Amino acid sequence: MSYVDEVLERVIAQNPAQPEFHQAVKEVLESLRVVIEADEDKYRKEALLERITTPERAILFRVPWVDDKGQVQVNNGFRVQFNSAIGPYKGGLRLHPSVNLGIIKFLGFEQIFKNSLTGLPIGGGKGGSDFDPKGKSDREIMAFCQSFMTELFKYIGADTDVPAGDIGVGAREIGFLYGQYKRITGLYEGVLTGKGLSYGGSLVRTQATGYGLVYLTDELLKCHGTSMEGKTVSVSGAGNVAIYAIEKSQQLGAKVVTCSDSTGWIYDADGIDVALLKEVKEVRRARLTEYKAAKPTAEYHEGKGVWSVKVDVALPCATQNELNLDDAKALVANGVYAVCEGANMPTTLEATKYLQENGVLFVPGKASNAGGVATSALEMSQNSERLSWSAEEVDSKLKNIMVNIYHNIDDASKKYGMEGDYVAGANIAGFLKVVNAMEAQGIV
Ligand code: NDP
Ligand code: 2IT
């Protein structure tokens, strides 16, 4: 059996009931076949694939907190420190009831390659909890965040592990987490990114994932003789990534006609009103039914449906496995030209294959959503030098990073004989840098 297949079997056997982690590993290892098979004995002897698919450390902890009725609640807390070959562990914290160890491992594994692609010195990690922030008061959110950090602080630090936001974690949560870290350790340091501007945050970090996604998509289109200008676009999600993907698409002259949340979706033929969407989601923390209430000409539909709309470009920005084979078929039937992932692994393996086989330009999240973590690394640099850069400076660095990522994955796809396969390009380019550092650092 080939070394890649041996390790795939081993990962599945050793990590039972973690389907998202299996999926992420399978996608990466399938892409790496060509690299591994060129020097299989060496990689097998070094157990490189076993090492890269095994977290350096996984921390599981209890998070007790008291709700507004005086009832004690208990959640599971996680931090997976996956790979520190090229820098301190870096990756977000997710608060969502679906969070379990397998989800955090898939996200941490993806983060290794994504962080490598940014070209910045950051290793891969991820954390979170099955705590559900929906419907909680600010006091309950603070109680949870303080309890979570009271355990997590032992394992993180500005030079060891630097968490940030992800689903359910934005500026409010980062503020509470930072306050508790500082209170316990006495350290005013860049231990978290996505901080508020008054206490060490970076300009443009809030916008960075969505903006970066659209910068990369625009470069992809330009290299294929077109651009975002005049395109019709569908976006899923209505959170941090979705909102700023919509905003930047509109700035570049595209028309975004959809967004969604976990209960329903909006079709707005006039183009999404991004100021209204921000008011509904960032200020009121409400459902998309309120968008419809404020803009009656828009359509609101319960459930899933964004991918049934005819568009040129689709940007999935909600969550994993939200774009399945049927959705891919609908997009292709409607003539979609490009699909670029804003979320982490939003497209199933079957859907990805179908899109690629039908000539759709497809960029995986580990390349196209890397602008968020890249700007987090810029926030770390600013914190280290105790300076803050202007919005123009951060935005221009972000744009350069995204353009470079596109060319890097495009070059890798060509070099390994798979031109236009950006999944392979991203996985190979991300892997080679990490593996080079792992080999240089010995058996650790
Ligand atoms: P937010 O919490 O701000 O928004 C998430 C959005 O996705 C919400 O509209 C939410 O709807 C929807 N959503 C979440 N889970 C589900 C689900 N199970 N089913 C349907 N809809 C769902 O998160 P972000 O925008 O930060 O993250 C979105 C994606 O982007 C995630 O995959 C994340 O890992 C990825 N990402 C985020 C980065 C960042 O910097 N924030 C960087 C790179 C990737 P509802 O409110 O109803 O739950
Ligand atoms: O998935 C991701 O890249 C993030 N949630 C952002 C991580 C970070 O450290 O900014």
Side-chain angles (χ1 to χ4, degrees):
M1 195 190 286
S2 80
Y3 178 42
V4 163
D5 290 319
E6 266 171 41
V7 175
L8 265 175
E9 275 197 3
R10 176 190 150 110
V11 166
I12 290 165
Q14 290 195 340
N15 301 275
Q18 297 183 352
E20 294 85 2
F21 180 52
H22 303 168
Q23 182 183 341
V25 170
K26 188 167 189 322
E27 185 218 89
V28 170
L29 294 196
E30 289 294 349
S31 302
L32 295 178
R33 258 181 216 285
V34 45
V35 178
I36 302 298
E37 283 168 11
D39 212 348
E40 189 168 271
D41 291 346
K42 183 194 80 159
Y43 285 118
R44 186 187 264 119
K45 185 150 189 257
E46 292 179 343
L48 247 163
L49 294 182
E50 288 89 334
R51 283 197 277 151
I52 209 165
T53 54
T54 305
E56 289 175 17
R57 199 169 297 101
I59 301 143
L60 275 65
F61 50 98
R62 179 170 71 205
V63 190
W65 56 281
V66 182
D67 72 15
D68 284 348
K69 297 193 189 98
Q71 174 66 47
V72 176
Q73 301 284 346
V74 179
N75 287 103
N76 297 310
F78 304 91
R79 185 73 182 166
V80 173
Q81 299 180 328
F82 222 117
N83 192 299
S84 61
I86 63 167
Y89 310 106
K90 182 83 197 85
L93 298 172
R94 176 176 289 191
L95 299 183
H96 193 271
S98 62
V99 164
N100 56 40
L101 183 59
I103 299 264
I104 299 298
K105 278 164 67 180
F106 118 63
L107 291 163
F109 183 71
E110 289 283 290
Q111 203 83 41
I112 302 170
F113 306 96
K114 180 194 309 194
N115 293 3
S116 167
L117 288 171
T118 66
L120 300 166
I122 40 179
K126 199 83 184 191
S129 172
D130 56 2
F131 173 79
D132 185 358
K134 276 203 194 79
K136 301 290 189 298
S137 68
D138 282 356
R139 195 209 60 81
E140 288 174 321
I141 299 281
M142 181 171 77
F144 171 84
C145 289
Q146 291 184 339
S147 180
F148 186 85
M149 184 53 86
T150 300
E151 200 56 40
L152 184 68
F153 89 94
K154 299 168 192 167
Y155 310 103
I156 63 176
D159 295 313
T160 49
D161 183 355
V162 183
D166 193 81
I167 290 177
V169 176
R172 175 182 58 171
E173 292 74 21
I174 294 292
F176 293 145
L177 291 163
Y178 188 74
Q180 186 73 352
Y181 178 85
K182 180 167 64 66
R183 180 188 190 192
I184 297 173
T185 62
L187 296 171
Y188 204 109
E189 60 171 14
V191 66
L192 292 165
T193 59
K195 299 185 292 299
L197 298 179
S198 58
Y199 62 97
S202 173
L203 286 159
V204 192
R205 175 62 189 90
T206 304
Q207 297 84 352
T209 311
Y211 278 19
L213 167 67
V214 177
Y215 288 145
L216 184 140
T217 306
D218 195 44
E219 183 67 13
L220 165 80
L221 296 179
K222 282 182 172 147
C223 291
H224 288 81
T226 178
S227 73
M228 282 294 276
E229 195 177 350
K231 295 287 180 293
T232 304
V233 178
S234 54
V235 167
S236 63
N240 174 264
V241 180
I243 287 172
Y244 293 97
I246 296 170
E247 184 168 276
K248 184 53 72 179
S249 297
Q250 292 177 344
Q251 286 171 7
L252 297 190
K255 186 187 206 181
V256 182
V257 292
T258 68
C259 63
S260 65
D261 65 15
S262 54
T263 50
W265 61 286
I266 292 284
Y267 174 76
D268 190 338
D270 303 334
I272 296 291
D273 178 341
V274 83
L276 173 60
L277 186 62
K278 285 184 189 176
E279 166 65 25
V280 170
K281 285 295 175 184
E282 294 184 338
V283 181
R284 287 191 248 159
R285 297 180 189 276
R287 305 278 84 206
L288 283 175
T289 41
E290 295 203 15
Y291 181 100
K292 163 76 181 169
K295 189 149 187 274
T297 53
E299 294 173 21
Y300 173 79
H301 303 274
E302 292 284 329
K304 249 192 90 163
V306 161
W307 313 125
S308 63
V309 175
K310 179 174 168 56
V311 290
D312 306 307
V313 175
L315 304 175
C317 298
T319 194
Q320 63 275 0
N321 293 328
E322 53 157 315
L323 197 167
N324 61 29
L325 182 57
D326 287 341
D327 299 322
K329 287 182 177 167
L331 284 166
V332 168
N334 279 326
V336 76
Y337 186 70
V339 175
C340 298
E341 295 184 329
N344 285 307
M345 208 170 76
T347 315
T348 63
L349 291 174
E350 300 74 34
T352 302
K353 190 159 173 270
Y354 187 85
L355 292 169
Q356 289 179 318
E357 285 174 358
N358 284 278
V360 177
L361 300 175
F362 178 85
V363 183
K366 60 172 73 74
S368 46
N369 74 32
V373 75
T375 307
S376 279
L378 301 179
E379 183 171 328
M380 289 165 71
S381 298
Q382 293 169 76
N383 292 164
S384 298
E385 60 175 14
R386 298 191 194 285
L387 290 173
S388 23
W389 305 338
S390 68
E392 293 69 30
E393 196 172 351
V394 180
D395 191 45
S396 102
K397 286 188 201 299
L398 168 64
K399 192 169 179 187
N400 271 331
I401 290 168
M402 299 314 297
V403 167
N404 284 339
I405 290 175
Y406 170 69
H407 288 285
N408 192 6
I409 67 174
D410 185 44
D411 290 348
S413 78
K414 288 176 181 149
K415 184 168 172 200
Y416 287 89
M418 293 178 277
E419 181 165 356
D421 182 345
Y422 303 117
V423 174
N427 288 329
I428 293 171
F431 172 79
L432 288 174
K433 179 176 172 192
V434 174
V435 153
N436 186 279
M438 285 174 72
E439 286 177 323
Q441 292 171 28
I443 311 302
V444 292

